[in-house]
Amino acid sequence: MTTPHDSPLGRETRYAQRHDPALLFPIARAAGRDALGLGAALPFHGVDLWNAYELSWLDARGKPQIALARFAVPASSPNLIESKSFKLYLGSFSGTRMAGTDAVRACLVSDLSRAAGAPVEVALTPPADFAAERIETLDGECIDDLDLAISDYGPPRPEYLSAEVTERIEEVLVSHLLKSNCPVTGQPDWASVQIAYAGPRIAREGLLRYLVSFRDHSDFHEQCVERIFCDIRARCACERLAVYARYTRRGGLDINPWRSTSAGVPPNPRLARQ
């Protein structure tokens, strides 16, 4: 079984210029989920939304082409795809002649679905549609202005979480203070997080302390979001819950995991830091 330390992370990089699906490095989700005590029956639905800003290939006559790419990897897939390998794989199209955009998309779908172990959705946005791209914000009430003194930056502390069981509400809360670290290189990963729930009112001060306690924690984006989902659901007895993290871009890619008690796919807004 492959591990994160077998991946291209933190190693000297060879930038391929010909399409090479072997560059993709899948990592089994099971290890991270075992650490959370999750079995085969997951307590959430979800998807990992990726946005790529550095996709280019050659047309049949050798002229470079570009597009923005969006990928949806189901959380039910057995594997996540390590981000640096994803970047190197996308870069391998740069010197590859393709018959057209449809051929590029079909190739991406095939390669990524094989690596993830489940169907991956791919959408490409050509330059003609770039004008429609917008900077947006996450819906919800931001809790970052709470007047708190904080000195605990990890490991994550679910004991900070609590809820008022006598008051049941439905609300959406947002924080831009989520930070974790790459488990291999230690590089910082920055994110905004949206928590939509119905049930007992979550104590906001404790929630913010909990989110900040990820600051020195090392884990992949997807596993951090699953930990947040599981901790909030266990400690706050939510009837409905969705956790959505929008991570900042690295290597032309941003990763945006969403986990929810309800099935579906969230919107894919591009935030100011993305």
Side-chain angles (χ1 to χ4, degrees), residues 91-121:
S92 76
F93 281 84
S94 64
T96 304
R97 296 194 181 208
M98 305 293 292
T101 303
D102 289 343
V104 175
R105 180 185 172 278
C107 188
L108 290 166
V109 168
S110 176
D111 294 343
L112 294 169
S113 297
R114 188 179 304 110
V120 173
E121 296 182 10

Side-chain angles (χ1 to χ4, degrees), residues 19-259:
H19 169 240
D20 186 0
L23 292 168
L24 291 168
F25 190 87
I27 296 175
R29 296 185 190 267
R33 290 172 175 173
D34 287 347
L36 296 175
L38 301 179
L42 297 174
F44 48 70
H45 304 274
V47 64
D48 303 326
L49 298 179
W50 297 66
N51 298 296
Y53 297 89
E54 297 179 4
L55 178 61
S56 181
W57 65 95
L58 304 179
D59 68 14
R61 300 174 63 191
K63 181 181 177 182
Q65 306 292 307
I66 63 169
L68 303 181
R70 294 180 170 87
F71 311 96
V73 181
S76 57
S77 65
N79 303 319
L80 58 85
I81 300 173
E82 189 277 310
S83 60
K84 184 175 180 181
S85 78
F86 203 153
K87 171 191 173 182
L88 295 175
Y89 162 74
L90 293 176
S92 76
F93 281 84
S94 64
T96 304
R97 296 194 181 208
M98 305 293 292
T101 303
D102 289 343
V104 175
R105 180 185 172 278
C107 188
L108 290 166
V109 168
S110 176
D111 294 343
L112 294 169
S113 297
R114 188 179 304 110
V120 173
E121 296 182 10
V122 178
L124 300 182
T125 301
D129 295 333
F130 285 179
E133 297 293 311
R134 294 289 184 269
I135 299 297
E136 303 180 54
T137 60
L138 285 173
D139 291 335
E141 185 176 353
C142 184
I143 62 174
D144 294 345
D145 288 336
L146 291 171
D147 187 12
L148 296 177
I150 298 179
S151 59
D152 185 357
Y153 307 112
R157 300 199 181 273
E159 58 266 31
Y160 285 136
L161 296 167
S162 65
E164 177 52 65
V165 296
T166 61
E167 185 180 5
R168 312 186 79 77
I169 67 166
E170 184 171 350
E171 67 177 351
V172 181
L173 303 176
V174 171
S175 175
H176 304 293
L177 304 185
L178 181 62
K179 171 192 171 287
S180 54
N181 301 308
C182 171
V184 178
T185 66
Q187 289 179 292
D189 296 320
W190 308 91
S192 298
V193 60
Q194 178 193 65
I195 296 164
Y197 75 96
R201 181 188 290 275
I202 296 175
R204 296 185 178 189
E205 290 189 1
L207 176 60
L208 188 57
R209 290 184 188 278
Y210 168 72
L211 294 174
V212 172
S213 74
F214 277 79
R215 198 167 182 85
D216 291 338
H217 179 63
S218 296
D219 218 338
F220 290 113
H221 305 60
E222 300 91 335
Q223 293 166 353
C224 287
V225 170
E226 292 180 3
R227 182 179 293 274
I228 293 170
F229 177 96
C230 291
D231 285 347
I232 292 176
R233 190 162 183 250
R235 304 281 300 195
C236 301
C238 299
E239 298 163 7
R240 298 193 305 276
L241 175 64
V243 177
Y244 191 13
R246 302 285 306 185
Y247 277 87
T248 58
R249 196 185 315 173
R250 181 183 296 162
L253 285 169
D254 59 53
I255 311 171
N256 309 281
W258 177 78
R259 302 293 183 268

